[in-house]
Amino acid sequence: MPRVIFIEHDGVRREVDAPVGLSILEIAHQNDIELEGACEGSLACATCHVIVDDEWWSKLGPASEEEEDMLDLAFGLEKTSRLGCQIIMSEELDGIVIHLPKQS
């Protein structure tokens, strides 16, 4: 099974199973990783903002216009920021490194 590596707010690294077809937000919730997702993945907020490790950024498809609009509301936005609800796990993303942004 593919894996996701989360780097939590405090720098702790957690490697978890990542079923294909689930979003990074869903995978985080299944593993008690602190990623809010207030709108439950409906692309209506930016509370599942994550920062994709540079080496994985090019492996993701481009963000939609709706995702870009929501990202504009995110705290601590970086060039590799995405919404966790919009990154869908695939075999090609096995080992992806996701950083949780520092909390405000």
Side-chain angles (χ1 to χ4, degrees), residues 1-34:
M1 175 175 298
R3 310 274 291 166
V4 172
I5 299 165
F6 288 96
I7 309 297
E8 297 189 37
H9 309 287
D10 57 3
V12 171
R13 177 185 171 104
R14 291 194 44 204
E15 187 170 339
V16 299
D17 287 335
V20 170
L22 291 186
S23 71
I24 293 296
L25 175 63
E26 293 168 314
I27 294 164
H29 286 178
Q30 284 184 350
N31 290 280
D32 297 320
I33 293 171
E34 192 176 328

Side-chain angles (χ1 to χ4, degrees), residues 52-61 63 79-82:
V52 178
D53 200 74
D54 287 335
E55 72 178 77
W56 290 94
W57 178 249
S58 63
K59 295 180 174 139
L60 298 178
K79 69 178 178 76
T80 61
S81 289
R82 292 294 299 265

